[in-house]
Amino acid sequence: MDKPRQGFAGLWNISFGFFGIQIGFALQNANMSRIFQSLGEDIEKLPGLWVAAPLTGLLVQPIIGHMSDRTWLGRLGRRRPYFLAGAILAAIALFVMPESPAIWFAAMMLWLLDASLNISMEPFRAFVGDMLGKDQHSVGYAVQTAFIGAGAVVGSLFPSLMEAMGVANVAPPGQIPDTVRYAFWFGGLALFLAVLWTVVATREYSPEQMAAFEPPAAANAPAVRPLASHGYAVSVGWVAAGIAVALVQMRFALLREVLLLGALLAGYGLASALAITLARRGNDRNMLSSIVGDFAGMPVLMKRLALVQFFSWSALFIMWINTTPIVAQYHYGATDAASAAYQDASNWVGELFAIYNGVAAVAALTLLPWLSRRLGQARTHMVGLACGAIGYASFFLLRDPAHLIASEIFIGIFWASVLAMPYAILASSLPQAKLGIYMGLFNMFVVLPQLLVATVMGSIMQALFPGEPIYTMAFAAVTLLLAVLAMTRVAAVQPAGALS
């Protein structure tokens, strides 16, 4: 039995909550470096403070994906409990963040905010697959991408709108401007109301209905069973890699955040060894073995797309961390975070981010379908990745702040492609009973590169280009060229017309 087709209202209701979630992400992405610098932090230490975002995503997304696949709370359903819980916590973090008295408190609020946004976001990816038939997966993710872009526009423009209304955009040293404070407060309210809309306006299919749509098959059996036959060599390799990273950090006196990367590698090795041991003892119902087993048993297509995601999100995270100090230093001539010029540059960055997100919202519903019908999904995504590389490289050439609008147009096309094409390619190839956990695992390759950037980029820049953040854009452009090469190995499930 096929799932009923959704009309415009249904597609709207399914993804409208993502509009609010992306307001929260946009406020975080465009303003956290500004907040940290306003509280007195140095440029070179910003990546270490940003480590909260990818680390919480890395831990939260597979866990929430695993749990939401197994949740059913009556009228509240399967995914919507996580939408609601995450929205409440994220709204609290947004209200408290601009009142941070010190850097350590702002970092704690970033942990809470990012964890909460991930609690809501991860099930939204699976929600499209739950509610739509395979023939509507692509249009569902396109609509979701449009809401992501629209929400990011609103979140990015909040501080500038506050300034236009007469709110003070400059604060004494060590304090956060009122424009940012009010933007976070309004953003928290908008996030909660948008997610509440989806919670109230949708009703999920019951487990019995889902089983009728897609009867259980051998492909949907827990991946923990083959895990019992695995040896421990791979686990030992992960632990050894973690120890090697720690030794390199100590040998070359790299930033201490690099130790976190080593700890995570070693921690996964130990966790995988424990998961194998539990599986060998016949305990095939525990979360750890299920997650590790599903990770080890990812489909080939998913693995190839994961590599593309790794490179793509490395570039994005570099941009989010460094755009504010780059534009302030190279386009406004400002390095003092308390100066009016720096705050003007920060507001312009918010507007630039709004531009690329607005371009993404339009491209998701217009350009990508047109390209997909003519080139196929894989080649369309290659075009999007190449646009991102052009956009990042252009920061070296354009000195007038207004000319950066051209850069953001290219970046917006790239952003639309990242948000829509990989999920459209992947969704129809995954077993629906495991859509949550597989989307959670796939999104690990969104947060892993961010964690790598947060822990390593600071040391690279400190060693090679101290005080010259513009060179991070070169790293971003090169990683996107690597993503284009990786995409050549991806065979799309529906090579043409999937987004039409």
Side-chain angles (χ1 to χ4, degrees), residues 32-68:
M32 284 313 303
S33 288
R34 177 183 190 175
I35 288 173
F36 288 139
Q37 286 193 285
S38 294
L39 294 173
E41 191 56 276
D42 296 329
I43 289 178
E44 287 79 8
K45 294 183 179 179
L46 291 180
L49 291 171
W50 273 83
V51 75
L55 183 58
T56 51
L58 181 66
L59 298 175
V60 167
Q61 292 207 25
I63 293 174
I64 294 299
H66 174 88
M67 292 174 62
S68 69

Side-chain angles (χ1 to χ4, degrees), residues 194-411:
V195 173
L196 187 63
W197 177 286
T198 290
V199 171
V200 173
T202 58
R203 178 168 294 183
E204 299 182 67
Y205 297 118
S206 69
E208 293 75 21
Q209 290 174 307
M210 293 295 290
F213 293 138
E214 185 182 48
N220 293 340
V224 69
R225 292 192 177 92
L227 185 66
S229 64
H230 288 198
Y232 292 99
V234 174
S235 301
V236 172
W238 284 107
V239 174
I243 294 173
V245 168
L247 292 174
V248 169
Q249 187 276 336
M250 291 183 286
R251 171 65 179 81
F252 296 101
L254 302 179
L255 295 179
R256 287 180 296 176
E257 287 81 6
V258 176
L259 290 175
L260 177 60
L261 179 62
L264 286 171
L265 293 173
Y268 177 75
L270 295 174
S272 64
L274 177 58
I276 292 170
T277 300
L278 291 172
R280 288 183 173 183
R281 293 177 179 176
N283 184 353
D284 59 357
R285 298 296 180 183
N286 68 88
M287 182 187 301
L288 178 62
S289 293
S290 295
I291 292 175
V292 171
D294 286 326
F295 183 78
M298 286 190 301
V300 172
L301 177 63
M302 184 173 168
K303 292 178 181 179
R304 293 182 177 181
L305 279 171
L307 181 61
V308 178
Q309 289 289 83
F310 180 88
F311 290 130
S312 303
W313 285 86
S314 294
L316 285 164
F317 202 59
I318 289 171
M319 176 186 73
W320 290 332
I321 292 176
N322 294 287
T323 300
T324 294
I326 287 171
V327 172
Q329 182 173 339
Y330 288 92
H331 299 88
Y332 281 77
T335 56
D336 181 4
S339 67
Y342 182 94
Q343 298 302 331
D344 288 341
S346 298
N347 277 4
W348 180 235
V349 169
E351 294 178 32
L352 291 174
F353 280 20
I355 290 169
Y356 88 70
N357 280 290
V359 170
V362 174
L365 298 177
T366 56
L367 179 62
L368 293 187
W370 183 82
L371 286 175
S372 184
R373 287 192 296 269
R374 287 155 179 79
L375 303 178
Q377 290 179 327
R379 290 181 179 176
T380 296
H381 194 38
M382 290 170 65
V383 171
L385 295 167
C387 285
I390 293 170
Y392 290 145
S394 67
F395 270 72
F396 285 87
L397 304 175
L398 304 176
R399 306 300 295 182
D400 187 330
H403 293 168
L404 294 177
I405 292 174
S407 306
E408 299 304 320
I409 292 173
F410 283 102
I411 293 171

Side-chain angles (χ1 to χ4, degrees), residues 74 117 129 191 268:
L117 292 172
L191 183 154
Y268 177 75

Side-chain angles (χ1 to χ4, degrees), residues 6-18 143 147 197-198 201-202:
Q6 297 283 347
F8 176 78
L11 293 170
W12 175 289
N13 293 336
I14 287 169
S15 290
F16 185 69
F18 224 130
V143 171
F147 275 125
W197 177 286
T198 290
T202 58

